Amino acid sequence: METTAALTAKGEILIMGGGNDGKHEGQRIDIYDPAHDQWRSIDTGITRQKGASTLLPDGTMLIANGEEFYDTPKNLGDRKQVTLYDPKSDAVTNLKAWPDDQDMRGYHN
């Protein structure tokens, strides 16, 4: 619910955000490997719903924007921070929030 999905350069499917529990589903990336019919999850440390994901030319995935989880006490991180996910190493990097922007970039970002 209220997730983003994208195909990675490795042919895996990335799903991020949403879910029933902001501290659990809302801050993790779920990766499906169709070649092995397996799922794995990676914690991003930022709760997002309605985010956007994009495959970058170097094979990393950019996850940006989104809204806070509807249950505010379960929110973690700042949706103004961009998350980079590297499928080669399964590493997640949260960049600094962009400056001088008071508004959340959320719904239909």
Side-chain angles (χ1 to χ4, degrees), residues 1-50:
M1 164 169 88
E2 301 178 335
T3 62
T4 183
L7 186 64
T8 72
K10 289 175 56 178
E12 297 174 321
I13 299 166
L14 173 146
I15 300 173
M16 197 292 165
N20 293 322
D21 183 351
K23 285 185 178 177
H24 186 64
E25 293 106 340
Q27 70 180 32
R28 76 177 192 230
I29 295 171
D30 293 317
I31 304 290
Y32 177 67
D33 178 355
H36 297 100
D37 191 26
Q38 294 179 336
W39 286 93
R40 68 183 184 283
S41 297
I42 301 158
D43 190 322
T44 66
I46 294 178
T47 307
R48 291 182 204 269
Q49 64 177 15
K50 303 174 189 158

Side-chain angles (χ1 to χ4, degrees), residues 15-107:
I15 300 173
M16 197 292 165
N20 293 322
D21 183 351
K23 285 185 178 177
H24 186 64
E25 293 106 340
Q27 70 180 32
R28 76 177 192 230
I29 295 171
D30 293 317
I31 304 290
Y32 177 67
D33 178 355
H36 297 100
D37 191 26
Q38 294 179 336
W39 286 93
R40 68 183 184 283
S41 297
I42 301 158
D43 190 322
T44 66
I46 294 178
T47 307
R48 291 182 204 269
Q49 64 177 15
K50 303 174 189 158
S53 54
T54 304
L55 174 61
L56 299 176
D58 68 355
T60 59
M61 305 294 299
L62 175 124
I63 302 168
N65 306 330
E67 293 182 344
E68 296 176 309
F69 186 72
Y70 64 85
D71 188 356
T72 303
K74 294 181 178 181
N75 286 320
L76 299 170
D78 182 351
R79 271 100 354 241
K80 294 177 185 175
Q81 288 179 263
V82 172
T83 298
L84 294 176
Y85 166 65
D86 184 349
K88 295 174 193 164
S89 64
D90 271 346
V92 171
T93 304
N94 292 316
L95 305 179
K96 290 182 180 181
W98 53 82
D100 303 324
D101 190 350
Q102 300 304 313
D103 296 321
M104 174 178 32
R105 298 173 184 248
Y107 190 68

